Each structure stands twice: as C-alpha cells, then as structure tokens.
Coordinates of all heavy atoms in Angstrom, one line a residue:
M78 N -22.6 60.9 75.7 CA -23.8 60.3 75.3 C -24.2 59.1 76.2 O -23.4 58.4 76.7 CB -23.6 59.7 73.8 CG -24.7 58.8 73.3 SD -24.4 57.9 71.8 CE -23.7 59.1 70.7
E79 N -25.5 59.1 76.5 CA -26.0 58.0 77.3 C -26.9 57.1 76.5 O -27.7 57.5 75.7 CB -26.8 58.6 78.5 CG -27.3 57.5 79.5 CD -27.9 58.1 80.7 OE1 -27.1 58.8 81.5 OE2 -29.1 58.0 80.9
V80 N -26.7 55.8 76.6 CA -27.4 54.8 75.9 C -28.4 54.1 76.8 O -28.1 53.5 77.8 CB -26.5 53.7 75.2 CG1 -27.3 52.6 74.6 CG2 -25.5 54.4 74.2
N81 N -29.7 54.2 76.4 CA -30.8 53.5 77.1 C -31.6 52.7 76.0 O -32.1 53.3 75.1 CB -31.7 54.5 77.8 CG -31.0 55.3 78.9 OD1 -30.5 54.6 79.9 ND2 -30.8 56.5 78.8
G82 N -31.6 51.4 76.2 CA -32.2 50.6 75.1 C -31.1 50.1 74.3 O -30.0 49.9 74.7
T83 N -31.5 49.8 73.0 CA -30.5 49.2 72.0 C -30.1 50.3 71.0 O -30.9 51.0 70.5 CB -31.1 48.0 71.3 OG1 -31.4 47.0 72.2 CG2 -30.1 47.5 70.3
K84 N -28.8 50.5 70.8 CA -28.3 51.5 69.9 C -27.1 50.9 69.1 O -26.3 50.1 69.6 CB -27.8 52.7 70.6 CG -27.3 53.8 69.7 CD -27.0 55.1 70.5 CE -26.5 56.2 69.6 NZ -27.4 56.6 68.5
T85 N -27.1 51.3 67.8 CA -26.0 50.9 66.9 C -25.3 52.1 66.4 O -26.0 53.0 66.0 CB -26.6 50.0 65.7 OG1 -27.2 48.9 66.3 CG2 -25.4 49.6 64.8
I86 N -24.0 52.1 66.5 CA -23.2 53.2 65.9 C -22.4 52.6 64.7 O -21.7 51.7 64.8 CB -22.2 53.7 67.0 CG1 -22.9 54.3 68.1 CG2 -21.2 54.7 66.3 CD1 -22.0 54.8 69.3
T87 N -22.8 53.2 63.6 CA -22.1 52.8 62.3 C -21.2 53.8 61.7 O -20.5 53.5 60.8 CB -23.2 52.4 61.3 OG1 -24.1 53.6 61.0 CG2 -24.1 51.2 61.7
N88 N -21.3 55.0 62.3 CA -20.4 56.1 61.8 C -19.3 56.4 62.8 O -18.9 55.6 63.5 CB -21.3 57.3 61.5 CG -22.1 57.8 62.7 OD1 -22.1 57.1 63.7 ND2 -22.7 58.9 62.6
C89 N -18.8 57.6 62.7 CA -17.7 58.0 63.6 C -18.3 58.9 64.7 O -19.0 59.9 64.4 CB -16.6 58.8 62.9 SG -15.2 59.2 63.9
V90 N -18.1 58.6 66.0 CA -18.6 59.4 67.1 C -17.4 59.7 68.0 O -16.6 58.9 68.3 CB -19.6 58.6 67.9 CG1 -20.0 59.3 69.2 CG2 -20.8 58.2 67.1
S91 N -17.3 61.0 68.3 CA -16.2 61.5 69.2 C -16.8 62.1 70.5 O -16.9 63.3 70.6 CB -15.4 62.6 68.5 OG -14.7 62.0 67.4
E92 N -17.1 61.2 71.4 CA -17.6 61.6 72.7 C -17.6 60.3 73.7 O -17.5 59.2 73.2 CB -19.0 62.2 72.7 CG -20.1 61.3 72.2 CD -21.4 62.0 72.1 OE1 -21.9 62.4 73.2 OE2 -21.9 62.3 71.0
N93 N -17.6 60.6 74.9 CA -17.7 59.5 75.9 C -19.1 58.9 75.9 O -20.1 59.7 75.8 CB -17.3 60.0 77.3 CG -15.8 60.4 77.4 OD1 -15.0 59.9 76.6 ND2 -15.5 61.3 78.3
I94 N -19.2 57.6 76.1 CA -20.5 56.9 76.1 C -20.7 56.1 77.3 O -19.8 55.4 77.8 CB -20.6 56.0 74.8 CG1 -20.5 56.8 73.6 CG2 -21.9 55.2 74.9 CD1 -20.3 56.0 72.3
V95 N -21.9 56.2 77.9 CA -22.3 55.4 79.1 C -23.5 54.6 78.7 O -24.5 55.1 78.3 CB -22.6 56.3 80.3 CG1 -23.1 55.4 81.5 CG2 -21.4 57.1 80.7
I96 N -23.3 53.3 78.8 CA -24.5 52.4 78.5 C -25.1 52.2 79.9 O -24.6 51.6 80.8 CB -24.0 51.0 78.0 CG1 -23.1 51.2 76.8 CG2 -25.2 50.2 77.6 CD1 -22.4 50.0 76.3
A97 N -26.3 52.9 80.0 CA -26.8 53.2 81.4 C -27.9 52.3 81.9 O -27.7 51.6 82.9 CB -27.3 54.6 81.4
S98 N -29.0 52.2 81.3 CA -30.2 51.5 81.9 C -30.0 50.0 81.7 O -29.5 49.5 80.7 CB -31.5 52.0 81.3 OG -31.6 51.7 79.9
P99 N -30.5 49.2 82.7 CA -30.4 47.7 82.6 C -31.0 47.2 81.3 O -31.9 47.7 80.8 CB -31.2 47.3 83.8 CG -31.2 48.4 84.8 CD -31.2 49.7 83.9
H100 N -30.3 46.2 80.8 CA -30.7 45.4 79.6 C -30.4 46.3 78.3 O -30.9 45.9 77.3 CB -32.1 44.9 79.7 CG -32.4 44.2 80.9 ND1 -31.8 43.0 81.2 CD2 -33.2 44.4 82.0 CE1 -32.2 42.5 82.4 NE2 -33.0 43.4 82.9
S101 N -29.7 47.4 78.4 CA -29.3 48.2 77.3 C -28.1 47.5 76.6 O -27.3 46.9 77.2 CB -29.0 49.6 77.6 OG -30.1 50.3 78.1
E102 N -28.0 47.8 75.2 CA -26.9 47.2 74.5 C -26.5 48.2 73.5 O -27.3 48.9 72.8 CB -27.4 45.9 73.7 CG -26.3 45.3 72.9 CD -26.7 44.1 72.2 OE1 -27.6 44.2 71.3 OE2 -26.1 43.0 72.4
L103 N -25.2 48.3 73.4 CA -24.5 49.2 72.3 C -23.8 48.3 71.4 O -22.9 47.5 71.8 CB -23.6 50.2 73.0 CG -22.8 51.1 72.0 CD1 -23.8 51.9 71.1 CD2 -21.8 52.0 72.7
V104 N -24.0 48.4 70.1 CA -23.3 47.7 69.1 C -22.5 48.8 68.3 O -23.2 49.7 67.7 CB -24.3 46.9 68.1 CG1 -23.5 46.2 67.0 CG2 -25.1 45.9 68.9
V105 N -21.2 48.6 68.2 CA -20.4 49.6 67.5 C -19.8 48.9 66.3 O -19.0 47.9 66.5 CB -19.3 50.1 68.4 CG1 -18.4 51.1 67.6 CG2 -19.8 50.9 69.6
S106 N -20.2 49.3 65.1 CA -19.5 48.8 63.9 C -18.8 49.9 63.2 O -18.1 49.7 62.2 CB -20.6 48.2 62.9 OG -21.5 49.1 62.6
G107 N -18.9 51.1 63.7 CA -18.1 52.2 63.2 C -16.9 52.5 64.1 O -16.3 51.6 64.6
I108 N -16.7 53.8 64.4 CA -15.6 54.3 65.2 C -16.0 55.1 66.3 O -16.8 56.0 66.1 CB -14.6 55.1 64.3 CG1 -14.1 54.2 63.1 CG2 -13.4 55.6 65.1 CD1 -13.3 55.0 62.1
V109 N -15.5 54.9 67.5 CA -15.8 55.7 68.7 C -14.5 56.2 69.2 O -13.5 55.4 69.4 CB -16.5 54.9 69.8 CG1 -16.6 55.8 71.0 CG2 -17.9 54.5 69.3
N110 N -14.4 57.5 69.3 CA -13.2 58.2 69.9 C -13.7 58.7 71.2 O -14.3 59.8 71.3 CB -12.7 59.3 69.0 CG -12.2 58.8 67.6 OD1 -11.4 57.9 67.6 ND2 -12.7 59.4 66.6
G111 N -13.4 58.0 72.3 CA -13.8 58.4 73.6 C -14.0 57.2 74.5 O -13.9 56.0 74.0
K112 N -14.2 57.4 75.8 CA -14.3 56.3 76.7 C -15.7 55.7 76.6 O -16.7 56.4 76.5 CB -14.1 56.8 78.1 CG -14.3 55.8 79.2 CD -14.0 56.4 80.6 CE -14.3 55.4 81.7 NZ -14.0 56.0 83.0
I113 N -15.8 54.4 76.8 CA -17.1 53.7 76.9 C -17.2 53.1 78.3 O -16.3 52.4 78.7 CB -17.3 52.6 75.8 CG1 -17.4 53.3 74.4 CG2 -18.6 51.8 76.1 CD1 -17.6 52.3 73.3
T114 N -18.3 53.3 79.0 CA -18.6 52.7 80.3 C -19.8 51.8 80.1 O -20.8 52.2 79.7 CB -18.9 53.8 81.3 OG1 -17.8 54.7 81.5 CG2 -19.2 53.2 82.7
V115 N -19.5 50.5 80.5 CA -20.6 49.5 80.4 C -21.0 49.3 81.8 O -20.4 48.7 82.6 CB -20.0 48.2 79.8 CG1 -21.1 47.1 79.7 CG2 -19.4 48.4 78.5
Q116 N -22.2 49.8 82.2 CA -22.7 49.7 83.6 C -23.4 48.3 83.8 O -23.5 47.5 82.9 CB -23.7 50.9 83.9 CG -23.0 52.2 83.9 CD -23.9 53.3 84.3 OE1 -25.1 53.3 84.2 NE2 -23.3 54.4 84.8
A117 N -23.8 48.1 85.0 CA -24.4 46.8 85.5 C -25.6 46.5 84.6 O -26.4 47.3 84.2 CB -24.8 46.9 86.9
D118 N -25.6 45.2 84.2 CA -26.7 44.6 83.4 C -26.8 45.2 82.0 O -28.0 45.3 81.5 CB -28.0 44.7 84.2 CG -27.9 43.9 85.5 OD1 -27.4 42.8 85.5 OD2 -28.4 44.5 86.5
T119 N -25.7 45.7 81.4 CA -25.7 46.3 80.1 C -24.6 45.5 79.3 O -23.8 44.8 79.9 CB -25.5 47.8 80.0 OG1 -24.2 48.1 80.5 CG2 -26.5 48.5 80.9
S120 N -24.6 45.8 78.0 CA -23.6 45.1 77.2 C -23.1 46.0 76.0 O -23.8 46.8 75.5 CB -24.2 43.8 76.6 OG -25.3 44.0 75.8
L121 N -21.9 45.6 75.6 CA -21.3 46.3 74.5 C -20.8 45.2 73.5 O -20.1 44.2 74.0 CB -20.0 47.1 74.9 CG -19.1 47.6 73.9 CD1 -19.7 48.6 72.9 CD2 -17.8 48.1 74.5
V122 N -21.0 45.4 72.2 CA -20.5 44.5 71.2 C -19.7 45.5 70.3 O -20.3 46.3 69.6 CB -21.5 43.8 70.4 CG1 -20.9 43.0 69.3 CG2 -22.3 42.9 71.3
L123 N -18.4 45.3 70.3 CA -17.5 46.2 69.5 C -17.0 45.4 68.3 O -16.2 44.5 68.4 CB -16.3 46.7 70.3 CG -15.3 47.5 69.6 CD1 -15.9 48.8 69.2 CD2 -14.0 47.7 70.4
S124 N -17.5 45.7 67.1 CA -17.1 45.1 65.9 C -16.3 46.1 65.1 O -15.6 45.8 64.1 CB -18.3 44.6 65.1 OG -18.9 43.6 65.8
G125 N -16.3 47.4 65.5 CA -15.6 48.4 64.8 C -14.3 48.8 65.6 O -13.6 47.9 66.0
I126 N -14.1 50.1 65.8 CA -12.9 50.5 66.4 C -13.3 51.4 67.6 O -14.1 52.3 67.5 CB -12.0 51.3 65.4 CG1 -11.6 50.4 64.3 CG2 -10.8 51.9 66.1 CD1 -11.0 51.2 63.1
L127 N -12.6 51.2 68.7 CA -12.7 52.1 69.9 C -11.3 52.7 70.2 O -10.4 51.9 70.5 CB -13.3 51.4 71.1 CG -13.2 52.2 72.5 CD1 -14.0 53.5 72.4 CD2 -13.8 51.3 73.6
N128 N -11.2 54.0 70.1 CA -10.0 54.7 70.5 C -10.3 55.4 71.8 O -10.7 56.6 71.8 CB -9.6 55.7 69.4 CG -9.2 55.1 68.1 OD1 -8.5 54.1 68.1 ND2 -9.8 55.5 67.0
G129 N -10.1 54.7 72.9 CA -10.4 55.3 74.2 C -10.5 54.2 75.3 O -10.5 53.0 74.9
D130 N -10.6 54.6 76.5 CA -10.6 53.6 77.6 C -11.9 52.9 77.7 O -13.0 53.3 77.1 CB -10.3 54.3 78.9 CG -8.9 54.9 79.0 OD1 -8.1 54.5 78.2 OD2 -8.7 55.7 79.8
L131 N -11.9 51.7 78.3 CA -13.1 50.9 78.5 C -13.2 50.6 79.9 O -12.3 50.1 80.6 CB -12.9 49.6 77.7 CG -14.1 48.6 77.7 CD1 -15.4 49.2 77.2 CD2 -13.7 47.3 77.0
Q132 N -14.4 50.8 80.5 CA -14.8 50.5 81.9 C -16.0 49.6 81.8 O -17.0 49.9 81.3 CB -15.1 51.7 82.7 CG -15.5 51.4 84.1 CD -15.8 52.7 84.9 OE1 -15.1 53.7 84.7 NE2 -16.7 52.6 85.8
I133 N -15.8 48.4 82.5 CA -16.9 47.4 82.5 C -17.2 47.2 84.0 O -16.4 46.6 84.7 CB -16.5 46.1 81.9 CG1 -16.1 46.4 80.4 CG2 -17.7 45.1 81.9 CD1 -15.4 45.2 79.8
D134 N -18.4 47.7 84.4 CA -18.8 47.6 85.8 C -19.3 46.2 86.1 O -19.5 45.4 85.2 CB -19.9 48.6 86.1 CG -19.4 50.1 86.0 OD1 -18.2 50.3 86.0 OD2 -20.3 50.9 85.9
K135 N -19.5 45.9 87.4 CA -20.0 44.6 87.9 C -21.2 44.2 87.1 O -22.2 45.1 87.0 CB -20.2 44.6 89.4 CG -20.5 43.2 89.9 CD -20.6 43.3 91.5 CE -20.9 41.9 92.0 NZ -21.1 41.9 93.4
N136 N -21.3 43.0 86.6 CA -22.4 42.5 85.8 C -22.6 43.1 84.4 O -23.6 42.9 83.8 CB -23.8 42.6 86.6 CG -23.7 41.7 87.9 OD1 -23.2 40.7 87.9 ND2 -24.4 42.2 88.9
G137 N -21.6 43.9 84.0 CA -21.6 44.4 82.6 C -20.8 43.4 81.8 O -20.0 42.7 82.3
V138 N -21.1 43.4 80.5 CA -20.5 42.5 79.6 C -20.0 43.2 78.3 O -20.8 44.0 77.7 CB -21.5 41.4 79.1 CG1 -20.8 40.4 78.1 CG2 -22.0 40.6 80.4
A139 N -18.8 42.9 77.9 CA -18.3 43.5 76.6 C -17.7 42.4 75.8 O -17.0 41.5 76.3 CB -17.3 44.6 76.9
V140 N -17.9 42.4 74.5 CA -17.3 41.5 73.5 C -16.6 42.3 72.5 O -17.2 43.2 71.9 CB -18.4 40.6 72.9 CG1 -17.7 39.7 71.8 CG2 -19.1 39.8 73.9
I141 N -15.3 42.1 72.4 CA -14.5 42.8 71.4 C -14.2 41.9 70.2 O -13.4 41.0 70.3 CB -13.1 43.3 72.0 CG1 -13.3 44.0 73.4 CG2 -12.3 44.1 71.0 CD1 -14.1 45.3 73.3
N142 N -14.8 42.2 69.1 CA -14.6 41.5 67.8 C -13.7 42.4 66.9 O -13.1 41.9 66.0 CB -15.9 41.2 67.1 CG -16.8 40.3 67.9 OD1 -16.4 39.3 68.4 ND2 -18.1 40.7 68.0
G143 N -13.7 43.7 67.2 CA -13.0 44.6 66.4 C -11.6 45.0 67.0 O -10.9 44.1 67.4
V144 N -11.4 46.3 67.0 CA -10.1 46.8 67.5 C -10.3 47.8 68.7 O -11.2 48.7 68.6 CB -9.4 47.6 66.3 CG1 -8.0 48.1 66.8 CG2 -9.2 46.6 65.2
L145 N -9.5 47.6 69.7 CA -9.6 48.5 70.9 C -8.2 49.1 71.1 O -7.3 48.3 71.3 CB -10.1 47.8 72.1 CG -9.9 48.5 73.5 CD1 -10.7 49.8 73.5 CD2 -10.3 47.6 74.6
H146 N -8.1 50.4 71.1 CA -6.8 51.1 71.4 C -7.1 51.9 72.7 O -7.9 52.8 72.7 CB -6.4 52.1 70.4 CG -6.1 51.5 69.0 ND1 -5.0 50.9 68.8 CD2 -6.9 51.4 67.9 CE1 -5.0 50.4 67.5 NE2 -6.1 50.8 67.0
A147 N -6.6 51.4 73.9 CA -6.9 52.0 75.1 C -5.6 52.3 76.0 O -4.6 51.6 75.8 CB -7.8 51.1 75.9
N148 N -5.7 53.3 76.9 CA -4.7 53.5 77.9 C -5.0 52.6 79.1 O -4.1 52.1 79.7 CB -4.7 54.9 78.3 CG -4.1 55.8 77.3 OD1 -3.1 55.5 76.6 ND2 -4.6 57.0 77.2
Q149 N -6.3 52.3 79.3 CA -6.7 51.6 80.5 C -8.0 50.8 80.3 O -8.9 51.3 79.7 CB -6.9 52.5 81.7 CG -7.2 51.8 83.0 CD -7.4 52.8 84.1 OE1 -7.6 54.0 84.0 NE2 -7.2 52.3 85.3
I150 N -8.1 49.6 80.8 CA -9.3 48.8 80.8 C -9.6 48.5 82.3 O -8.8 47.9 83.0 CB -9.2 47.5 80.1 CG1 -8.9 47.7 78.6 CG2 -10.4 46.7 80.2 CD1 -8.5 46.5 77.8
V151 N -10.7 49.0 82.8 CA -11.2 48.7 84.1 C -12.2 47.6 84.0 O -13.3 47.8 83.4 CB -11.8 50.0 84.8 CG1 -12.3 49.6 86.2 CG2 -10.7 51.1 84.9
L152 N -11.9 46.5 84.6 CA -12.8 45.3 84.5 C -13.3 44.8 85.8 O -12.5 44.2 86.6 CB -12.0 44.2 83.7 CG -12.7 42.9 83.4 CD1 -14.0 43.1 82.6 CD2 -11.8 41.9 82.7
Q153 N -14.6 44.9 86.0 CA -15.3 44.4 87.1 C -16.4 43.4 86.7 O -16.9 42.6 87.5 CB -15.9 45.4 88.0 CG -14.9 46.4 88.6 CD -15.5 47.6 89.3 OE1 -16.6 48.0 89.0 NE2 -14.7 48.1 90.3
G154 N -16.7 43.4 85.4 CA -17.7 42.5 84.8 C -17.0 41.5 84.0 O -16.0 40.9 84.4
A155 N -17.5 41.2 82.8 CA -17.0 40.2 81.9 C -16.5 40.8 80.6 O -17.1 41.7 80.0 CB -18.1 39.2 81.6
L156 N -15.4 40.4 80.1 CA -14.8 40.8 78.8 C -14.3 39.6 78.0 O -13.5 38.9 78.5 CB -13.6 41.8 79.1 CG -12.8 42.3 77.9 CD1 -13.7 43.0 76.9 CD2 -11.6 43.1 78.4
K157 N -14.8 39.5 76.8 CA -14.3 38.5 75.9 C -13.6 39.2 74.7 O -14.2 40.1 74.1 CB -15.5 37.6 75.3 CG -15.9 36.6 76.3 CD -16.9 35.6 75.6 CE -17.3 34.6 76.6 NZ -18.2 33.6 76.0
I158 N -12.4 38.8 74.4 CA -11.7 39.4 73.3 C -11.5 38.4 72.2 O -10.8 37.3 72.4 CB -10.3 39.9 73.8 CG1 -10.5 40.9 74.9 CG2 -9.5 40.5 72.6 CD1 -9.2 41.3 75.6
F159 N -12.1 38.7 71.0 CA -11.9 37.9 69.8 C -11.0 38.7 68.8 O -10.5 38.0 67.9 CB -13.2 37.6 69.1 CG -14.1 36.7 69.9 CD1 -15.0 37.2 70.8 CD2 -14.1 35.3 69.8 CE1 -15.9 36.4 71.6 CE2 -14.9 34.5 70.5 CZ -15.8 35.0 71.4
G160 N -10.9 40.0 68.9 CA -10.3 40.8 68.0 C -8.9 41.3 68.4 O -8.1 40.5 68.9
I161 N -8.6 42.6 68.2 CA -7.3 43.1 68.5 C -7.4 44.2 69.6 O -8.2 45.1 69.5 CB -6.7 43.8 67.2 CG1 -6.6 42.7 66.1 CG2 -5.4 44.5 67.5 CD1 -6.2 43.3 64.8
V162 N -6.6 44.0 70.6 CA -6.6 45.0 71.7 C -5.1 45.5 72.0 O -4.2 44.6 72.1 CB -7.1 44.4 73.0 CG1 -7.0 45.3 74.2 CG2 -8.6 44.0 72.9
E163 N -5.0 46.8 72.0 CA -3.7 47.4 72.4 C -4.1 48.3 73.6 O -4.9 49.2 73.5 CB -3.1 48.2 71.3 CG -2.7 47.4 70.1 CD -2.1 48.3 69.0 OE1 -1.9 49.5 69.3 OE2 -1.8 47.8 68.0
C164 N -3.5 47.9 74.8 CA -3.8 48.7 76.0 C -2.4 48.9 76.7 O -1.7 48.0 77.1 CB -4.7 47.9 76.9 SG -5.2 48.8 78.4
K165 N -2.1 50.2 76.9 CA -0.9 50.6 77.6 C -0.7 50.1 79.0 O 0.4 49.7 79.4 CB -0.8 52.1 77.6 CG -0.6 52.7 76.2 CD -0.4 54.2 76.2 CE -0.2 54.7 74.8 NZ -0.1 56.2 74.8
S166 N -1.8 49.9 79.7 CA -1.7 49.4 81.1 C -1.8 47.9 81.2 O -1.8 47.4 82.3 CB -2.7 50.1 82.0 OG -4.0 49.8 81.6
G167 N -2.0 47.3 80.0 CA -2.2 45.8 80.0 C -3.6 45.4 80.1 O -4.5 46.3 80.4
V168 N -3.9 44.2 79.8 CA -5.3 43.7 79.8 C -5.5 42.9 81.1 O -4.6 42.1 81.5 CB -5.5 42.8 78.6 CG1 -6.9 42.1 78.7 CG2 -5.4 43.6 77.3
P169 N -6.6 43.2 81.9 CA -6.8 42.5 83.1 C -6.8 40.9 82.9 O -7.3 40.4 81.9 CB -8.2 43.0 83.5 CG -8.4 44.3 82.9 CD -7.6 44.2 81.6
E170 N -6.2 40.2 83.9 CA -6.1 38.8 83.8 C -7.5 38.1 83.7 O -7.6 37.0 83.2 CB -5.4 38.2 85.1 CG -3.9 38.6 85.1 CD -3.2 37.9 86.3 OE1 -3.8 37.0 86.9 OE2 -2.1 38.4 86.6
K171 N -8.5 38.8 84.2 CA -9.9 38.2 84.3 C -10.5 38.2 82.8 O -11.5 37.5 82.6 CB -10.7 39.1 85.2 CG -12.1 38.6 85.5 CD -12.8 39.6 86.5 CE -14.3 39.3 86.5 NZ -14.9 40.3 87.4
A172 N -9.9 38.9 81.9 CA -10.5 39.0 80.5 C -10.3 37.6 79.9 O -9.3 36.9 80.0 CB -9.8 40.0 79.7
A173 N -11.3 37.2 79.1 CA -11.2 35.9 78.4 C -10.6 36.2 77.0 O -11.2 36.9 76.2 CB -12.6 35.4 78.2
L174 N -9.4 35.6 76.8 CA -8.7 35.8 75.5 C -9.1 34.6 74.6 O -8.6 33.5 74.9 CB -7.2 35.9 75.7 CG -6.7 36.9 76.7 CD1 -5.2 36.9 76.9 CD2 -7.2 38.3 76.4
M175 N -9.8 34.8 73.6 CA -10.3 33.8 72.7 C -9.2 33.4 71.7 O -8.4 34.3 71.3 CB -11.6 34.2 72.0 CG -12.7 34.7 73.0 SD -12.9 33.6 74.5 CE -13.8 32.3 73.7
P176 N -9.2 32.2 71.2 CA -8.2 31.8 70.2 C -8.1 32.7 69.0 O -9.2 33.0 68.4 CB -8.6 30.3 69.9 CG -9.4 29.8 71.1 CD -10.1 31.1 71.6
G177 N -7.0 33.1 68.6 CA -6.8 33.9 67.5 C -6.8 35.4 67.8 O -6.4 36.2 66.9
C178 N -7.2 35.8 69.0 CA -7.2 37.3 69.3 C -5.7 37.7 69.4 O -4.8 37.0 69.7 CB -7.9 37.5 70.6 SG -7.1 37.1 72.1
I179 N -5.5 39.1 69.3 CA -4.2 39.7 69.4 C -4.3 40.7 70.5 O -5.1 41.6 70.4 CB -3.8 40.3 68.1 CG1 -3.7 39.2 67.0 CG2 -2.4 41.0 68.2 CD1 -3.4 39.7 65.6
V180 N -3.4 40.5 71.5 CA -3.4 41.5 72.6 C -2.0 42.0 72.8 O -1.1 41.2 73.0 CB -3.9 40.8 73.9 CG1 -3.7 41.7 75.1 CG2 -5.3 40.3 73.8
N181 N -1.9 43.3 72.7 CA -0.6 44.0 72.8 C 0.5 43.3 71.9 O 1.6 43.0 72.3 CB -0.1 44.1 74.2 CG -1.0 45.1 75.0 OD1 -1.5 46.0 74.4 ND2 -1.0 44.9 76.3
G182 N 0.1 43.0 70.7 CA 1.0 42.4 69.7 C 1.2 40.9 69.7 O 2.0 40.3 68.9
I183 N 0.6 40.2 70.7 CA 0.8 38.8 70.8 C -0.5 38.0 70.5 O -1.6 38.3 71.0 CB 1.2 38.4 72.3 CG1 2.5 39.1 72.6 CG2 1.3 36.9 72.4 CD1 2.9 39.0 74.1
Q184 N -0.4 37.1 69.5 CA -1.6 36.3 69.1 C -1.8 35.2 70.1 O -0.8 34.5 70.5 CB -1.5 35.8 67.7 CG -2.7 35.1 67.2 CD -2.7 34.8 65.8 OE1 -1.7 34.9 65.1 NE2 -3.9 34.4 65.2
H185 N -3.0 34.9 70.5 CA -3.3 33.9 71.5 C -4.1 32.7 70.8 O -4.6 32.8 69.7 CB -4.2 34.4 72.6 CG -3.4 35.5 73.4 ND1 -2.7 35.1 74.5 CD2 -3.2 36.8 73.2 CE1 -2.1 36.2 75.0 NE2 -2.4 37.2 74.2

C-alpha cells in the first residue's frame, strides 16, 4: 500500500506500506502486519501495533507511542520512542528513547 496525503489505519492491515509523497502522514491506531517505509519528508505516528520492520529514510520522522515488534529498524531519519519496542537486531543509537519507554525489555 502506498500512502499519499494523510491516512489513518484503525483496523488490521496485513501488507507492506510506503509513506511516499512529501508531507504525507500515516497514523496507525490499529494493527499493521508488514514493513513500513517512511520516505523523505513524510511521517509515521504509531499508537497501535506494528508487527514488521521499520525503515525511516533521510528526513523521515517516526514516533512510536504504541508497540513495535521488528527484526530490523533502518534509521536514517528521526525516531522517537515513547512506547514499547522489541527489535531482534537492536535499536539504532540515533533513536531518541523517551523517559518511560521500554526497549527490548528495559525501561528507560
């Protein structure tokens, strides 16, 4: 699925998602089973659950308020974590871990 503009997912979606055109925003309050790619000048607000990898390209922004279960996070843009993240390959050092967030079982 390609997101152009503003889109909100409140149900369960099982496919890979690319947030494509500049100034587009995806808000997830439901469940996504698949990879999300946040391209340049786009944003993701995850308040629900993502079961899949996360890729944030240069100048892309993602905010995790909910739960992320990933094998890999590719971070070239900005990532703020307020919620819970479990990532098998670890969370990039560049990610902003906000007070109270839980990353791989450790509360910060």
Side-chain angles (χ1 to χ4, degrees):
M78 171 191 308
E79 188 171 288
V80 174
N81 295 297
T83 300
K84 180 170 180 65
T85 301
I86 294 176
T87 57
N88 56 353
C89 185
V90 174
S91 293
E92 62 183 292
N93 294 333
I94 299 173
V95 176
I96 309 170
S98 63
H100 310 295
S101 293
E102 178 180 61
L103 174 63
V104 177
V105 176
S106 58
I108 300 170
V109 173
N110 297 310
K112 177 181 178 178
I113 295 181
T114 301
V115 182
Q116 293 186 337
D118 301 317
T119 66
S120 62
L121 166 69
V122 177
L123 176 67
S124 296
I126 299 171
L127 170 58
N128 296 310
D130 293 342
L131 178 60
Q132 176 179 327
I133 306 165
D134 295 343
K135 187 176 180 182
N136 295 326
V138 177
V140 176
I141 309 298
N142 297 315
V144 179
L145 169 61
H146 299 282
N148 288 321
Q149 181 179 24
I150 299 172
V151 176
L152 181 58
Q153 297 174 333
L156 173 61
K157 283 189 176 182
I158 301 172
F159 293 91
I161 300 170
V162 174
E163 293 180 8
C164 184
K165 291 182 180 178
S166 66
V168 173
E170 289 183 19
K171 186 176 165 185
L174 307 181
M175 309 310 287
C178 74
I179 298 173
V180 176
N181 290 334
I183 299 171
Q184 186 170 12
H185 295 269

